[in-house]
Amino acid sequence: MLMIAKMRFFFFPAMAAGVLLMSGCQTSLPEKMGSPFKAIVKKIRKTDSAPAQPQNAPVYSGKTGTFSCGKETFSFQIGMIRTTFRGTNLWLPEAPGKGDNAFSPRMFDQVAAPLLAGGRARGTIRTVLLDPGHGGKDRGTLSVLKDREKDLNLALAKELKTQLEKQGFQVCLTRDDDRFIPLEERSPLAKKHKADLFLSIHHNAAGNASVRGVETFACTPGAGVCALPENTALAWQIQRQVAPPGSGLDRGVRFQNFVVLRTSEIPAVLIEAGFLSNASDAVSAADPAARRRFAAAVAKGVREFAGPPPKKIVKSAGTSAKGKKK
Ligand SMILES: [Zn+2]
C-alpha cells in the first residue's frame, strides 16, 4: 500500500505539491507522506520564489564592512586580508579599502558573492579529476619522518578516490603511479577525462616546525582562465570539513596563482593537507586511518558543493518499500 500511495504522487507531483502550497500548508507535511514527496515539495518551494541575489553594497560599522544576502552575511575589515565566513578562515586576495569601491567588484563576484549565494556548484558535478602533486624525479618536500611528499600525495589521492566514489562521484587521477607530469599538462587532462571538477593534492612545509594545519587554495581572481566564482565556494566547502572552526587546523581558504589552478577551466582547488615539517601533521599524513578520515571530510565537502546526488525516483521508491518490510 505504501508503494501505491507513493506512485500516485509520482504521477501528479507538481499538482499535489501546488495544492499544498496554495492551501498555505508550508510548514509541515502529514506523517504519511514519504520523503520523495517532501523532496518534490521542497524543490517546488525553492523555485517558487527567486533566491536573493548578493549585492555589492557593504554596510559599515567602524572598520567593519558587511554584505548581506537573505540571512547570510559576509564581513571584512578595512585594510585586512584576513576574514572569516561562517567561522572558517579566509584570506582575501587583496585588502579592502574604504568607501563604495572598498571591495573590488571582481573580489566581490569571485569571493564574497559565491559564499553568500550558498557555496554551491552551478552545473552538475559527475566526474572528479584528482591530481596527486609531484611524482617521478620531483619528490616534493620531505617529512620529519623522511616520507616523500609525492608518495603521501598519491596515497591520499587513492583514498580520496574511494571516498568520493562512496559519495557517488566518478573519479580519475592525473597519475596513479610514481611518474613525473609537468604542471602545465595536469589540469588540461580534465578534457580527456571529461571531468567536472579538479582537486590537486599536496602536503605543506614551513621553516617553523610548530606550524601545522590545512590550507585550501583557489586561483587568484583574474589570473589565467580560472575566473570561476565556484572556486571560492569549493575551497570553502572543503576547508570547513577538513579543518572545522575550533579544530586548531584551519589555516584558511587562500588565493594563489598556481599553474594547475590558473589553467583550469572547471572548478579547481589545491589542498595542502598538512605540514610535513610538523611532527603531528607528519604522523597523521603517514597514518592510513587519519588519511581515511581526512579523505572522507574532503569528499563530504565536495558533495556539499555539488549538491545532492541525482536520484532515480521510481527505483528508490521500490527499494525503500522493500527495506521497510525487513
Ligand atoms: Zn607539493
Side-chain angles (χ1 to χ4, degrees):
M1 278 302 288
L2 186 67
M3 203 173 149
I4 291 167
K6 276 185 181 172
M7 289 303 284
R8 269 196 205 141
F9 290 125
F10 294 135
F11 290 135
F12 307 107
M15 190 191 289
V19 168
L20 256 189
L21 287 174
M22 283 195 312
S23 66
C25 177
Q26 297 198 11
T27 49
S28 64
L29 292 168
E31 280 294 302
K32 278 186 181 173
M33 290 175 180
S35 57
F37 182 78
K38 281 186 185 172
I40 289 160
V41 175
K42 247 187 192 171
K43 204 174 174 187
I44 289 170
R45 274 180 197 155
K46 256 189 183 172
T47 50
D48 201 35
S49 57
Q53 290 299 313
Q55 300 292 324
N56 187 358
V59 173
Y60 289 98
S61 169
K63 285 195 158 189
T64 306
T66 303
F67 298 109
S68 296
C69 178
K71 287 180 185 168
E72 211 64 85
T73 57
F74 181 99
S75 296
F76 60 90
Q77 299 282 315
I78 291 165
M80 288 184 69
I81 60 168
R82 187 178 182 170
T83 186
T84 61
F85 182 73
R86 286 211 234 154
T88 292
N89 291 318
L90 193 145
W91 301 80
L92 295 168
E94 63 201 35
K98 205 174 179 181
D100 286 344
N101 286 322
F103 217 82
S104 73
R106 186 162 66 195
M107 189 156 69
F108 178 78
D109 291 344
Q110 307 257 315
V111 179
L115 296 176
L116 285 165
R120 287 282 175 91
R122 287 179 176 172
T124 306
I125 308 291
R126 272 191 210 91
T127 304
V128 178
L129 176 59
L130 298 177
D131 174 44
H134 312 280
K137 65 184 180 186
D138 173 15
R139 71 159 163 79
T141 191
L142 204 61
S143 92
V144 292
L145 303 173
K146 305 290 179 232
D147 289 319
R148 299 178 300 187
E149 188 199 345
K150 63 174 184 177
D151 300 328
L152 295 171
N153 293 341
L154 182 58
L156 179 54
K158 285 182 173 173
E159 180 59 44
L160 187 49
K161 180 176 190 293
T162 304
Q163 298 299 329
L164 284 166
E165 284 170 349
K166 276 189 192 172
Q167 291 281 355
F169 296 103
Q170 288 176 14
V171 182
C172 37
L173 282 81
T174 54
R175 68 175 178 99
D176 61 3
D177 56 14
D178 184 17
R179 73 176 67 196
F180 176 78
I181 305 172
L183 290 174
E184 301 75 23
E185 293 177 16
R186 292 181 179 240
S187 56
L189 289 170
K191 275 210 173 83
K192 179 183 152 195
H193 293 288
K194 295 194 169 74
D196 308 300
L197 192 138
F198 180 88
L199 294 183
S200 194
I201 310 295
H202 285 254
H203 287 79
N204 227 331
N208 181 348
S210 68
V211 175
R212 64 177 303 209
V214 187
E215 301 174 343
T216 306
F217 288 88
C219 181
T220 307
V225 296
C226 74
L228 288 170
E230 290 161 294
N231 291 334
T232 305
L234 174 62
W236 176 74
Q237 292 283 16
I238 290 173
Q239 183 69 12
R240 69 197 287 250
Q241 296 297 337
V242 294
S247 64
L249 298 173
D250 176 19
R251 288 185 49 88
V253 169
R254 292 161 185 252
F255 297 89
Q256 275 292 332
N257 197 2
F258 291 132
V259 174
V260 291
L261 298 183
R262 71 163 179 259
T263 53
S264 179
E265 295 178 27
I266 53 176
V269 297
L270 184 146
I271 304 167
E272 292 278 9
F275 283 76
L276 299 182
S277 43
N278 172 272
S280 302
D281 278 8
V283 167
S284 293
D287 174 32
R291 189 181 297 140
R292 198 173 311 124
R293 284 194 297 275
F294 187 90
V298 174
K300 196 172 175 212
V302 174
R303 176 44 75 203
E304 289 288 326
F305 171 73
K311 280 187 180 130
K312 289 171 186 168
I313 295 176
V314 175
K315 217 177 180 181
S316 73
T319 337
S320 76
K322 264 186 200 166
K324 282 200 171 171
K325 274 181 190 167
K326 280 184 182 172

